[in-house]
Amino acid sequence: MIRIENIYKNFGDLEVLKDVSLKVKKGEVISIIGPSGSGKSTLLRCINYLEKIDLGRIEIEGKPIVDCEKGNRKYILEGDIRKICKKVGMVFQSFNLFPHKTVLENIIEAPIIVDKMKREKAIKIAEGLLKKIGLLDKRDVYPGKLSGGQKQRVAIARALAMNPKIMLFDEPTSALDPELVGEVLKVMKELVKERMTMLIVTHEMAFAKEVSDRVIFMDGGKVIEEAQPEKLFTNPDHPRIKTFLDKML
């Protein structure tokens, strides 16, 4: 579903990603962990074209959106990138809901504007998603009246409304009060059961251990280790991971 080969990303003189490679199979759930500033979120943003890489290659479902030919970065046409990236949904740390639109309006906005879907059909899909996440009763409420956990569940429903094949989660629970984390993780676990292809940047170690097919540890812009959760959490190869986990677990 996703193939990343030897990508680099700089912000000025700061190297954020250094020779990162990764393959994601259909239906696979991969958690990305590591200290703050290790490049985890930037990696996700490069996958869905929110950031442009400096070197390397990224493919989604076998179609390259960017390649490096003779040392020069080459993206495909903008319109083609948008078509490919429509297959990728993303949920951010800070919800990013439209405050002046109701819950329902937030969810139906993209299907109507981007996919030219008829409003009646978009509403039906949105109501089905709201029922799925347990928030159908909040259909006509504005985001300002929701808890953080409710806002994040709406953000997940909004991403799912575009019928993505891949979901990216960028620390979806880090802005939430501890008692609200569980309701968001419950929705994500349902997606795991449905075999949604997922890449999750998270600090929830128990969750990552439970749901992941593989866990990737990043530090200093590099992938330090990639392993099944049982291996990485109990017997990592790299001492940096042991130090990190001792502080987190």
Side-chain angles (χ1 to χ4, degrees):
M1 294 293 280
I2 303 172
R3 182 189 296 268
I4 298 167
E5 296 179 348
N6 311 110
I7 68 169
Y8 290 78
K9 172 64 182 175
N10 300 332
F11 291 111
D13 294 330
L14 179 64
E15 282 189 304
V16 181
L17 296 176
K18 308 171 187 176
D19 197 22
V20 174
S21 296
L22 174 65
K23 295 178 184 177
V24 184
K25 299 176 184 176
K26 184 177 181 179
E28 198 169 25
V29 178
I30 297 179
S31 291
I32 305 173
I33 65 171
S36 297
S38 58
K40 306 184 301 295
S41 295
T42 301
L43 176 60
L44 292 193
R45 293 174 68 87
C46 289
I47 292 171
N48 72 348
Y49 194 55
L50 291 176
E51 299 287 353
K52 291 185 177 182
I53 64 172
D54 296 300
L55 287 172
R57 179 180 176 92
I58 298 176
E59 292 181 6
I60 297 175
E61 284 201 310
K63 297 179 179 179
I65 62 170
V66 59
D67 203 352
C68 186
E69 296 180 357
K70 299 179 180 178
N72 296 316
R73 180 188 65 190
K74 183 179 180 181
Y75 276 89
I76 63 174
L77 294 175
E78 185 87 14
D80 292 334
I81 289 178
R82 296 299 175 193
K83 289 178 184 177
I84 295 172
C85 287
K86 273 173 58 177
K87 301 175 182 179
V88 183
M90 186 158 182
V91 177
F92 300 88
Q93 177 180 341
S94 53
F95 324 131
N96 292 347
L97 299 177
F98 296 117
H100 61 291
K101 293 182 180 292
T102 66
V103 164
L104 181 74
E105 289 168 341
N106 264 279
I107 297 173
I108 67 176
E109 178 88 357
I112 291 174
I113 300 298
V114 178
D115 277 351
K116 312 299 181 187
M117 187 181 291
K118 289 187 177 180
R119 183 178 176 86
E120 295 77 17
K121 183 179 179 181
I123 289 174
K124 187 174 181 180
I125 290 171
E127 288 177 339
L129 289 168
L130 285 171
K131 185 176 181 180
K132 181 177 181 177
I133 64 172
L135 289 176
L136 185 57
D137 61 323
K138 303 295 184 183
R139 176 187 188 277
D140 299 313
V141 173
Y142 287 90
K145 299 291 185 180
L146 301 178
S147 70
Q150 290 171 334
K151 289 177 184 176
Q152 195 60 294
R153 283 188 279 163
V154 172
I156 293 171
R158 181 179 61 179
L160 292 174
M162 292 296 288
N163 195 28
K165 295 186 177 182
I166 300 164
M167 284 288 287
L168 309 179
F169 291 88
D170 187 10
E171 299 189 25
T173 60
S174 62
L176 302 179
D177 293 332
E179 65 268 23
L180 302 177
V181 169
E183 63 189 55
V184 175
L185 297 184
K186 182 180 178 181
V187 172
M188 294 173 66
K189 286 178 183 178
E190 286 300 313
L191 295 178
V192 173
K193 290 180 182 177
E194 294 168 11
R195 300 310 298 168
M196 170 68 77
T197 305
M198 298 163 68
L199 262 177
I200 308 167
V201 171
T202 184
H203 290 297
E204 300 290 335
M205 297 298 120
F207 174 74
K209 187 175 183 179
E210 178 184 350
V211 305
S212 303
D213 296 298
R214 283 183 289 146
V215 179
I216 290 168
F217 184 89
M218 292 185 67
D219 190 22
K222 297 180 178 180
V223 174
I224 303 300
E225 188 171 339
E226 176 183 334
Q228 292 183 336
E230 296 81 5
K231 167 72 170 62
L232 192 136
F233 282 108
T234 59
N235 189 29
D237 294 331
H238 201 284
R240 176 68 183 94
I241 304 175
K242 294 178 182 177
T243 303
F244 175 81
L245 293 175
D246 284 345
K247 294 178 180 178
M248 296 295 293
L249 298 176

